[in-house]
Amino acid sequence: MAGVSTDPADLAVRRATRTALNPDVVLDAALTLFAQRGYHGTALSEIAEVLGVRTPSLYNHMGSKHDLLRTIVDRTTAGVLADFHRVLDPADTPTRQLREATRVYVHRHATHRREALVVNRDTGSLSEPAFGEMQARRREHEHALRAVIAAGVAAGEFRVESPALASFAIREMSVSVARWFSPEGALSAEAVAEQYSAFALRIVGAS
Amino acid sequence: MAGVSTDPADLAVRRATRTALNPDVVLDAALTLFAQRGYHGTALSEIAEVLGVRTPSLYNHMGSKHDLLRTIVDRTTAGVLADFHRVLDPADTPTRQLREATRVYVHRHATHRREALVVNRDTGSLSEPAFGEMQARRREHEHALRAVIAAGVAAGEFRVESPALASFAIREMSVSVARWFSPEGALSAEAVAEQYSAFALRIVGAS
DNA sequence: CGGTCAAACTAACGAGCGTTCATCAGCCCG
DNA sequence: CGGGCTGATGAACGCTCGTTAGTTTGACCG
C-alpha cells in the first residue's frame, strides 16, 4: 500500500471487503497466521491485512500480540483437559479409559489443527505466568494419561514395560495428527481418532 | 554493553573467554539457540554473544542467518535418510526392517535433539529451493517407511488397516522423543529406541 | 621490522516490528 | 441537529533486526 488511493470508488471497495472487527475475528486471524508462520514469523501487520484494517486498529480489539498467544494457549490447553475429564469415567476399565482419552485427544488435534500447531510450536514465547500455567496443564494431562496406563498394568489389562514411555508415545503420535490431517483427506477425524485409539491399546499391549 | 570498558584488565578477561571462531562453532551455537528459541525467536546478536564476539563478526564464518538454518536442515534430513538406508536390508523381513528403521529413527531423535527440534519447528522459514529439497527428503523417508509396513501387511506379517496411518503414528511418536528425552534421564537412548521399536511393531500388529 | 591478511571491531544502513497518540469519520441517541 | 462514543486512520516512537562497509587489531612470515 505504497500509495493509498483516496478515490471514492476505491474507498468503497475497501469498505465492502472489510470484516466487521471484534476480538473473536482478530483472534481467529491470528490463530490462522500463527499456525502457518509461527508467532514470531507473523507480524501484526499481516493480521491487520487479512482483516482489511491498519495495524493500530487491532488494538481496539486486543491487548497485545502476546495476549493473542496467551489466549490461544490457555483456551486450547484448558480444552484438552476438559475433554479428558469429560470422557474419563472412574468406573470404566483402564482399557476403555485409554481408548476414550486417546480418541478425544486425537479428535481435537484433527479438528482444531491451528490451535494444536501453535501450542506445539510457540509456547516458548509465553511470558510468565502464562508459561507456567500452560506447563501445569500440560503436565496434568500427561500424568493423568500415565496413571490410566499404570492402572491398566496393575490390573493386568496392559502389558507394557514403561507406562511413562507408552504415555509419551501415545500423546505425541496423537498431537502430531494436527500436522498432516486434512478434512478433505480420505479419512474423517472420527475414523482417524478410532484408528489411533486402537494403536494406543496396541502400544500398551491391551488384552 | 552500553559502555564498553577499555580497561586493559577487562579486555584481557574478554579475550580469555572468547572462543576461537570457525564455521562449525557458529553453526553449533546457532543450533542450540534455534532449538531453544526458534529461528525467528533467535537474534544473531544472541549467537554472537554466546561466542563472545560482535554480531558482524559472524559473517566471517557464515553466509547469512538463513544459511545456518539451511545447513542444519539439509544435514539433518540427509542424516535421517542415510540412517534408514544403512539399516534397511532388502533381504530382511518387514518385521525386522520396521524394527530397525524405527530404532535408528528414535535413536537419532534422542541423540540429536537440537537438530530434531529445529527441523520440526522451523522448516517453514526456509526459502526455495531449500524448502522443496527438505520436503522431498522428508517425503522419501515417509514413503519408504510406509512401503515397509505395506509389504508387511501384504506378507501377512502385519495386521493393520491403514499402513499410511500406522506410518504417521510411528514416525511422529519417534520424532517427538526429541522433545522430552534427556541423557540424564532414567533411560538411555538405546533403551528408548528399543522400546519404541517394540511399540512400532505393536502398532502394526506384527505377529 | 614491515607488510599482508584474516578476523575482530564500530558505525551505520534500511527495513521491520509492536505499540502509542492524535485526529478523523461514522453511527447513534436525545 | 449536535454531542458523544467507538473504531478507523496516519504519524510517530523506540526499538530490534540482519547485514554492509570501513577501520583496527593481532598474528604470521619474509
Side-chain angles (χ1 to χ4, degrees), chain B residues 14-188:
Chain B
R14 284 177 62 214
R15 289 194 204 287
T17 60
R18 189 179 288 169
T19 305
L21 282 207
N22 65 61
D24 289 337
V25 303
V26 172
L27 193 68
D28 193 74
L31 182 51
T32 295
L33 290 175
F34 288 173
Q36 284 172 3
R37 301 158 200 265
Y39 176 69
H40 285 298
T42 302
L44 286 180
S45 54
E46 293 172 279
I47 296 170
E49 188 178 348
V50 300
L51 297 173
V53 297
R54 315 300 283 173
T55 310
S57 300
L58 297 179
Y59 288 88
N60 290 307
H61 308 280
M62 72 175 199
S64 64
K65 189 180 185 185
H66 182 268
D67 272 358
L68 294 175
L69 180 63
R70 205 195 69 238
T71 301
I72 289 165
V73 173
D74 286 351
R75 290 185 183 177
T76 303
T77 52
V80 166
L81 279 179
D83 284 350
F84 182 83
H85 291 302
R86 198 182 75 240
V87 300
L88 193 86
D89 181 350
D92 267 344
T93 61
T95 299
R96 188 176 167 77
Q97 283 176 345
L98 182 62
R99 179 192 291 128
E100 289 302 300
T102 308
R103 191 183 57 76
V104 296
Y105 200 46
V106 173
H107 195 264
R108 170 170 284 273
H109 284 87
T111 56
H112 297 68
R113 289 177 54 233
R114 295 177 304 165
E115 289 88 337
L117 293 171
V118 174
V119 168
N120 280 298
R121 176 149 90 171
D122 284 307
T123 52
S125 300
L126 284 175
S127 304
E128 292 292 351
F131 182 78
E133 290 162 4
M134 176 280 303
Q135 283 220 302
R137 282 190 288 258
R138 186 179 269 170
R139 211 174 289 126
E140 185 182 339
H141 184 253
E142 184 182 312
H143 287 172
L145 192 69
R146 193 183 303 183
V148 170
I149 297 171
V153 171
E157 287 186 36
F158 301 157
R159 279 166 306 105
V160 69
E161 207 171 302
S162 167
L165 269 205
S167 175
F168 283 126
I170 291 163
R171 286 183 78 254
E172 300 288 358
M173 74 177 189
S174 306
V175 163
S176 300
V177 166
R179 300 172 65 127
W180 60 263
F181 182 78
S182 164
E184 290 91 42
L187 293 173
S188 69

Side-chain angles (χ1 to χ4, degrees), chain A residues 40-52:
Chain A
H40 285 299
T42 302
L44 284 180
S45 54
E46 293 173 279
I47 296 172
E49 188 177 350
V50 300
L51 296 174

